[in-house]
């Protein structure tokens, strides 16, 4: 058994060999909390949640760090725009991100450090970089000298002479316009911390290098994030950390975006779909299925039609599971997933291929139910539960027990009683062979959004796709 991952730095799929046998260390660039999360933000959390779950299934002891960027240019701009303290905006949106992660079934990270809690580590890293000749102070700013580090731009494969390095206001005194800020000097109205070079605040890139060093040491296995972070963020992280003396990350894994009309979903483009709004309309487990089941390196073009297709596909899985439980009672997950599922997941987290195994197993289980082969149906359900558990999508898992209350499932008992009365009328019509009335009742229920299925145990209902 060997897990293989696409390494952005190597531009190829590589066998995963951990630094420490039986252990895997992962650093994921988490939320920048200037605004509430949209589904594009949460896709990254879902993709790496599935990675973390698969490593755990394969027997690894996983250390998973997901940071919070609670101070940067965007948060400060929001503070000025809304006339609110920067820390209030950050805390409000950090809670919104955590609510979204929880709603969509992401396991909590091992540690979730905030940037503002690690200024001491950032100062120590800057001092080390200055001593080694890789950084310098100018006008209260501290900059990284990109020409001092020969490996700069190896991740993004750019040419230094053609580089356009993003710069912020007040970044004066650079030796080279491509040098980037480790520390930004104090400006009126902005938060500041004291340093040997005067008051100021950290640069975005320095925050992650310092936190990764603090929680994972000088070397760790996997650094993750969205494709948009390859440059400048991850490129600059590598330069800082390696120039400081760290080996840093051994594998670089990047997830693709959620797009709308071909553009990356983002707040700045005004094309984002907030998670808090989505869970009022769609079941969170369906959103997880929609965002988590495409391959992590494939773009997702958002549309309601594709969400409805995901809902229908998941309903087929869920319907099979419910029918088996009604027939045979509770069924525990199998100890092992089917070999074809494991093979797909080992191959760069091939969730689409693994999901095909889930659907094949569901079809086999439905055939067993139709043939009244209860033992086979139970065996297939046990396998389905094991596979869905790895993907965080098992609707029978207690973690999803309160799922979907925003759609009104808290009224389930009331609806069940009302539908039961209507179904009794339908059964009475069928008993007197009044097929027209029975069909009319079923069709009316279908138009109301309910799916009626006739089973050996009697008619049953479920919510249909919207």
């Amino acid at each position: 058994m060997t897990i293989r991952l696409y390494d952005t730095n190597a531009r190829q799929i590589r066998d995963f060999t951990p630094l420490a046998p039986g252990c895997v260390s992962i650093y994921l660039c988490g939320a920048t909390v200037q605004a509430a999360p949209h589904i594009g933000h949460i896709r990254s959390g879902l993709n790496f949640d599935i990675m973390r779950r698969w490593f755990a299934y394969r027997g690894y002891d996983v250390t998973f760090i997901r940071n919070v960027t609670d101070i940067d240019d965007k948060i400060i701009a929001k503070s000025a725009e809304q006339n609110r303290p920067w820390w209030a905006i950050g805390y409000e949106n950090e809670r919104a991100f955590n609510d979204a992660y929880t709603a969509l079934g992401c396991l909590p990270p091992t540690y979730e450090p905030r940037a503002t809690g690690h200024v001491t580590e950032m100062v120590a890293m800057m001092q080390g970089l200055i001593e080694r000749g890789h950084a310098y102070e100018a006008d209260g700013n501290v900059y990284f000298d990109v020409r001092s580090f020969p490996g700069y731009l190896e991740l993004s494969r750019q040419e230094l002479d053609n580089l356009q390095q993003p710069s912020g206001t007040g970044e004066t005194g650079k030796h080279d316009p491509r040098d980037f800020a480790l520390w930004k000097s104090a400006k009126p109205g902005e938060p500041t911390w004291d340093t040997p070079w005067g008051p100021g605040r950290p640069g975005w890139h320095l925050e992650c290098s310092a936190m990764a060093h603090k929680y994972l040491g000088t070397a760790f296995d996997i650094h993750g994030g969205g494709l948009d972070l390859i440059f400048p963020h991850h490129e600059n992280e590598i330069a800082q950390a390696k120039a400081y003396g760290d080996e840093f990350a051994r594998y670089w894994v990047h997830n693709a975006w959620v797009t709308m009309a071909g553009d990356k979903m983002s707040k700045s483009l005004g094309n984002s779909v907030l998670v808090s709004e989505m869970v009022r309309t769609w079941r969170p487990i369906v959103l997880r299925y929609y965002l988590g089941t495409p391959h992590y390196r494939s773009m997702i073009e958002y549309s309601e039609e594709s969400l409805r297709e995901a809902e229908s596909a998941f309903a087929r899985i869920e319907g099979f599971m419910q029918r088996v439980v009604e027939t045979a009672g509770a069924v525990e997950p199998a100890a092992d997933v089917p070999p074809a599922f494991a093979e797909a997941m080992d191959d760069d987290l091939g969730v689409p291929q693994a999901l095909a195994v889930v659907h094949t197993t569901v079809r086999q289980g439905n055939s067993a139910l139709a043939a009244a082969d209860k033992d086979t149906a139970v065996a297939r359900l046990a396998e389905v539960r094991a596979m869905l558990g790895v993907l965080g999508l098992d609707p029978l898992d207690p973690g999803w027990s309160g799922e979907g209350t925003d759609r009104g499932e808290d009224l389930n008992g009331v609806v069940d009683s009302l539908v039961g009365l209507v179904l009794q009328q339908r059964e009475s019509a069928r008993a007197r062979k009044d097929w027209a009335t029975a069909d009319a009742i079923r069709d009316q229920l279908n138009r109301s959004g309910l799916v009626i299925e006739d089973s050996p145990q009697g008619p049953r209902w479920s919510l249909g796709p919207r």
Side-chain angles (χ1 to χ4, degrees), residues 1-308:
M1 176 276 298
T2 300
I3 295 176
R4 306 175 71 233
L5 295 171
Y6 183 85
D7 180 5
T8 304
N9 193 42
R11 298 296 193 275
Q12 64 181 358
I13 294 176
R14 298 172 54 204
D15 289 351
F16 176 74
T17 304
L19 274 167
C23 300
V24 58
S25 47
I26 304 170
Y27 185 93
L28 173 63
C29 283
T32 299
V33 288
Q34 89 274 11
H38 56 66
I39 59 174
H41 291 131
I42 298 302
R43 183 191 182 185
S44 180
L46 283 174
N47 289 153
F48 285 91
D49 182 65
I50 291 171
M51 172 191 282
R52 179 234 191 117
R53 288 170 182 265
W54 184 245
F55 273 116
Y57 173 82
R58 279 306 199 189
Y60 286 89
D61 182 6
V62 182
T63 301
F64 181 57
I65 310 300
R66 186 183 67 210
N67 76 293
V68 175
T69 298
D70 60 342
I71 186 67
D72 83 332
D73 293 345
K74 294 177 182 178
I75 296 171
I76 291 170
K78 287 287 184 181
S79 174
E81 176 186 314
Q82 299 177 15
N83 194 28
R84 295 175 61 206
W86 63 272
W87 45 264
I89 291 171
Y91 181 63
E92 175 182 86
N93 292 310
E94 180 182 343
R95 292 187 64 181
F97 267 88
N98 283 331
D99 287 347
Y101 288 132
T102 300
L104 270 62
C106 293
L107 299 172
T110 310
Y111 304 109
E112 191 168 26
R114 295 188 185 103
T116 54
H118 297 81
V119 172
T120 299
E121 289 82 1
M122 297 178 207
V123 170
M125 183 166 279
M126 284 188 286
Q127 288 175 321
L129 289 169
I130 290 173
E131 291 169 2
R132 292 167 175 79
H134 293 292
Y136 59 93
E137 182 273 337
D139 301 333
N141 301 296
V142 179
Y143 298 111
F144 186 89
D145 180 355
V146 297
R147 290 191 175 276
S148 73
F149 183 66
Y152 191 56
L153 302 179
E154 286 184 357
L155 181 67
S156 58
R157 306 288 176 91
Q158 298 183 82
E159 295 291 335
L160 185 60
D161 291 340
N162 300 325
L163 183 65
Q164 296 284 328
Q165 181 77 261
S167 287
T169 57
E171 293 187 9
T172 60
K174 287 185 179 182
H175 296 174
D176 186 308
R178 291 160 293 196
D179 294 345
F180 61 87
L182 304 173
W183 191 259
K184 301 187 178 188
S185 62
K187 299 174 186 63
E190 291 190 358
T192 62
W193 289 261
D194 291 328
T195 75
W197 314 283
R201 62 180 177 85
W204 175 31
H205 317 302
L206 178 66
E207 296 172 349
C208 281
S209 294
M211 287 186 284
H213 180 91
K214 166 82 172 182
Y215 292 94
L216 297 176
T218 60
F220 57 96
D221 291 306
I222 299 167
H223 196 311
L227 283 173
D228 52 318
L229 298 181
I230 293 175
F231 182 84
H233 187 48
H234 289 166
E235 194 73 77
N236 292 352
E237 277 190 70
I238 292 170
Q240 294 161 160
K242 291 195 171 184
Y244 183 67
D246 289 356
E247 182 184 340
F248 210 51
R250 300 175 68 246
Y251 296 80
W252 287 86
V253 179
H254 292 92
N255 64 278
W257 303 329
V258 179
T259 61
M260 291 183 73
D263 290 323
K264 174 197 169 191
M265 188 173 287
S266 72
K267 292 289 287 183
S268 61
L269 292 176
N271 64 355
S272 59
V273 183
L274 296 181
V275 175
S276 59
E277 297 296 325
M278 295 292 285
V279 295
R280 294 176 184 173
T281 307
W282 302 89
R283 293 172 59 201
I285 198 169
V286 169
L287 280 177
R288 183 179 176 99
Y289 184 95
Y290 172 67
L291 293 170
T293 54
H295 194 274
Y296 75 90
R297 289 194 284 121
S298 299
M299 297 292 182
I300 299 175
E301 175 68 15
Y302 170 78
S303 71
E304 286 210 1
E305 180 183 357
S306 57
L307 249 172
R308 283 192 293 271

